[in-house]
Amino acid sequence: METLSIILLCVFIPVTVLLSICLLCIHSYWKRKWKSITKENDIEAKGDIKIGNQSKENVKHTLRFQGRLEDAQRGPSHQDPTFVADEKLGGRKKKQKKKSKATKRSIDVENQDGAKQIRVEESKLFEFDPPIGNKNLGNTCFFNSSLQALYFTKFFEDALSLLKVSAPNFQNLKLTKSVLELLEKKNVNHTQELRSVLNAVRNINNQFGRGTQEDSYELLNTLLGGILDELQNGDRTCKPIDVDSGVNGISLKNLFTGIFITIYVYDSCNDVEVDFEEFTTLSIPIADNIDQNFKKLPHRGLQTISSEDPRFDIEKGLAVLTQIEDYEESDLPCRVCNIEGTGKAYRRMLVFTPPPVLVIHIDRFKMNDFNRLTKNAQRLKYPRIFNMAKFCSVANTELSTNSLNYELYAVVVHSGALGGGHYYAYVNTTRMHDVEKWQEHLKRSPLDLEKLKSNVEEFLRKRHEFQDDSGQTEVCKVKDSWFYVSDESVCSASVDEVISHKDAYILFYEVH
């Protein structure tokens, strides 16, 4: 009996120990598994953050705009450098490669309930996928080249995507809808979508899409103007879309639209009056000589934020566009008191609010003495980064020199003569992105122009001292990636090849 007890103990103890070890292993395995499942659920839950009464899909797009919020599940976008996404958008899958980012600092943002804090990057690397060419539909290089620049415009596709999920009459906006469908499919076979956009543009201006070579700048203005008109007017059966307030504070209109201020001042009565006008592109002349006396201002109201001399050719063109004009007061009586004085009347048009995307057209086509259209093929110098403070009015006290640096990201080129020319584009797929600056521009509130007019006139009458907020233009610190795109032909390009191209026609700058 004693021997049997000893044998049982010898068997029981090892078995018990072995079972304990097995149970510990199983417990450890399921503990790790549970943590993994919980983490995945947490990540998915972050994509379901609700802001007010917005839908789940709408919130996803909103979060993407707010500086690509970290750790939030976002919809797919070829513009997102920090997240790997494989999700359907518009019935199509699009895979993203994770790309590097550089962060200066971050700020906290709360949702409306104040329960969730998310970090927003202030400045980071912004990368697009390499370009895909557009099929030539019959002398449509003028069309393809402008589209390439829009493909690589920050937030252009995102703004249209927001409209798709928020505008009740989006399906009736033929041009806007066709452009978004093209943007969503531009990385695959998109010939049908390309043709749809061209047909929609032709409905606005029938000179396009008839198989003849047309002007790329006119096409661009027709395309952007058509989209903004659709958003503003809607149709007869649908309520117009409030493009000024935008969707969730993001306005497609604010992306391209700036504001001119025209200032009138008078010697005899010292009155000041201003007018405002919106613009989406700037057309500048080729200026061989500029008035060297542009700094001799008769009144503070005509002053710009910076009085630095124009250095590059495009700055000289902008100087001509914003130069002071003087008249005899007898020819231009005071618009305030209607007095025909004996002194001078001065007029100057300046930029009051520049847009985040600045499109500059070089006016190369002019009528000669024989009333024939000719091309000026003069090579112009234009910088990678330049400052708009030389052309912005001091009347906008919210602007400063260091907030007005613009970086080149696309160039449309017209090579050859009028009769047999060709359009192509250069695009930059890599640049830094200052989230805070872009949010200030994109979330700009609509202006009460009548109230603004009164405030500005009072400000300019009271202050007559001259100031100069001149500053140095920033240098580009990012290794960029330029591409040459000519219809379906795409290849890498160097920045030296792009800068000051002898046939540059349209320059696309963005807030740096």
Side-chain angles (χ1 to χ4, degrees):
M1 187 70 179
E2 213 173 77
T3 303
L4 181 60
S5 299
I6 293 172
I7 292 172
L8 288 174
L9 285 174
C10 292
V11 173
F12 178 79
I13 292 174
V15 169
T16 303
V17 172
L18 184 60
L19 287 173
S20 299
I21 294 173
C22 291
L23 289 173
L24 286 173
C25 291
I26 292 171
H27 177 267
S28 177
Y29 169 81
W30 284 108
K31 185 178 180 180
R32 290 196 303 268
K33 186 71 174 178
W34 177 255
K35 284 184 177 180
S36 176
I37 293 172
T38 304
K39 185 177 181 180
E40 290 177 1
N41 290 337
D42 287 342
I43 292 174
E44 292 178 356
K46 289 179 180 179
D48 295 331
I49 299 172
K50 288 195 175 181
I51 302 177
N53 295 321
Q54 299 178 54
S55 67
K56 179 176 179 180
E57 183 67 20
N58 203 351
V59 171
K60 290 180 182 179
H61 288 288
T62 304
L63 295 179
R64 289 168 60 200
F65 276 127
Q66 295 175 343
R68 301 298 203 267
L69 302 182
E70 291 183 356
D71 297 328
Q73 186 180 15
R74 291 162 287 193
S77 169
H78 69 283
Q79 299 171 340
D80 187 356
T82 63
F83 194 76
V84 180
D86 184 7
E87 183 180 348
K88 285 190 176 181
L89 178 60
R92 181 173 60 89
K93 284 191 176 181
K94 189 190 296 183
K95 290 189 177 181
Q96 297 296 314
K97 295 181 179 179
K98 189 174 183 179
K99 302 179 182 179
S100 61
K101 60 181 179 180
T103 305
K104 288 182 183 176
R105 68 176 178 85
S106 58
I107 56 177
D108 287 331
V109 173
E110 289 189 352
N111 64 7
Q112 290 183 355
D113 297 329
K116 179 69 178 177
Q117 286 194 338
I118 308 174
R119 307 293 286 180
V120 181
E121 298 164 4
E122 180 189 330
S123 184
K124 67 179 181 181
L125 195 62
F126 201 98
E127 290 187 284
F128 293 85
D129 290 334
I132 302 294
N134 292 330
K135 183 180 178 61
N136 194 309
L137 304 177
N139 289 322
T140 57
C141 59
F142 71 95
F143 173 62
N144 292 339
S145 55
S146 288
L147 283 179
Q148 288 294 342
L150 293 179
Y151 290 165
F152 294 92
T153 296
K154 291 178 185 175
F155 303 118
F156 181 55
E157 179 180 353
D158 295 317
L160 295 179
S161 296
L162 274 176
L163 288 168
K164 181 180 180 180
V165 299
S166 62
N169 62 336
F170 183 81
Q171 296 300 319
N172 297 319
L173 309 178
K174 294 182 179 179
L175 176 59
T176 307
K177 179 174 175 288
S178 63
V179 170
L180 178 58
E181 290 174 348
L182 172 61
L183 291 169
E184 291 176 338
K185 295 188 177 181
K186 66 182 178 298
N187 290 331
V188 294
N189 185 1
H190 57 272
T191 302
Q192 182 58 46
E193 288 73 23
L194 198 65
R195 197 179 301 277
S196 296
V197 174
L198 188 58
N199 289 338
V201 171
R202 187 178 184 181
N203 289 335
I204 300 173
N205 186 338
N206 61 13
Q207 78 180 62
F208 300 114
R210 55 188 185 184
T212 57
Q213 183 68 278
E214 303 295 341
D215 184 68
S216 188
Y217 178 61
E218 189 173 353
L219 177 279
L220 181 67
N221 277 329
T222 303
L223 180 64
L224 292 179
I227 291 175
L228 293 178
D229 285 345
E230 282 188 341
L231 301 184
Q232 183 68 48
N233 301 323
D235 59 33
R236 295 179 181 179
T237 60
C238 298
K239 183 179 179 181
I241 301 168
D242 186 0
V243 295
D244 288 321
S245 63
V247 182
N248 302 319
I250 304 297
S251 171
L252 179 69
K253 180 180 178 181
N254 286 351
L255 193 61
F256 294 98
T257 305
I259 299 175
F260 279 131
I261 180 173
T262 303
I263 309 105
Y264 299 86
V265 298
Y266 304 88
D267 278 346
S268 298
C269 58
N270 203 37
D271 275 333
V272 179
E273 189 186 25
V274 301
D275 287 328
F276 294 98
E277 182 183 0
E278 293 181 340
F279 68 89
T280 52
T281 60
L282 296 178
S283 184
I284 63 172
I286 296 177
D288 295 322
N289 298 301
I290 60 173
D291 184 4
Q292 297 298 324
N293 297 320
F294 70 95
K295 288 186 181 180
K296 297 180 180 179
L297 303 175
H299 192 281
R300 169 180 165 76
L302 305 173
Q303 187 183 357
T304 55
I305 295 174
S306 168
S307 60
E308 286 185 320
D309 294 335
R311 294 184 298 155
F312 298 93
D313 290 322
I314 66 159
E315 292 182 329
K316 293 176 182 178
L318 287 167
V320 171
L321 183 67
T322 59
Q323 66 186 349
I324 300 174
E325 302 171 89
D326 61 89
Y327 307 85
E328 298 298 327
E329 284 189 345
S330 57
D331 296 327
L332 186 65
C334 177
R335 294 157 56 98
V336 179
C337 62
N338 293 320
I339 294 177
E340 293 185 11
T342 58
K344 289 280 188 181
Y346 302 92
R347 175 184 181 276
R348 190 177 195 185
M349 183 178 70
L350 294 169
V351 176
F352 185 80
T353 305
V357 176
L358 183 67
V359 181
I360 299 177
H361 164 245
I362 301 171
D363 190 1
R364 291 190 176 275
F365 303 108
K366 292 287 186 182
M367 301 299 292
N368 62 15
D369 295 337
F370 302 99
N371 203 30
R372 292 182 179 178
L373 193 65
T374 60
K375 177 184 176 181
N376 186 336
Q378 179 179 334
R379 181 190 294 271
L380 300 183
K381 293 183 179 179
Y382 49 89
R384 284 283 306 283
I385 297 177
F386 84 107
N387 194 281
M388 276 291 289
K390 307 179 188 71
F391 317 105
C392 293
S393 171
V394 292
N396 191 341
T397 56
E398 296 182 0
L399 298 179
S400 63
T401 299
N402 59 8
S403 68
L404 294 172
N405 286 317
Y406 281 80
E407 179 184 358
L408 185 73
Y409 74 91
V411 179
V412 171
V413 172
H414 178 270
S415 63
L418 283 174
H422 177 61
Y423 288 97
Y424 54 92
Y426 291 98
V427 293
N428 179 16
T429 62
T430 307
R431 57 252 200 193
M432 288 299 292
H433 175 62
D434 190 317
V435 174
E436 192 172 25
K437 280 186 182 180
W438 277 81
Q439 286 181 337
E440 288 175 3
H441 282 278
L442 292 175
K443 294 184 178 181
R444 190 173 67 230
S445 300
L447 297 176
D448 183 342
L449 294 184
E450 286 301 317
K451 183 177 180 180
L452 181 65
K453 173 182 167 69
S454 175
N455 292 341
V456 168
E457 288 173 349
E458 182 180 1
F459 168 77
L460 294 179
R461 289 191 191 106
K462 283 184 177 180
R463 301 187 60 183
H464 298 284
E465 70 276 13
F466 286 80
Q467 299 176 355
D468 182 13
D469 188 18
S470 299
Q472 297 295 322
T473 299
E474 293 183 17
V475 296
C476 187
K477 301 177 182 178
V478 179
K479 185 178 180 181
D480 47 14
S481 300
W482 285 94
F483 289 88
Y484 162 89
V485 190
S486 175
D487 291 331
E488 293 182 276
S489 176
V490 178
C491 63
S492 297
S494 67
V495 65
D496 294 334
E497 181 182 348
V498 177
I499 293 300
S500 299
H501 193 286
K502 67 182 183 68
D503 288 313
Y505 187 51
I506 310 175
L507 309 175
F508 293 78
Y509 286 87
E510 65 186 12
V511 168
H512 178 64

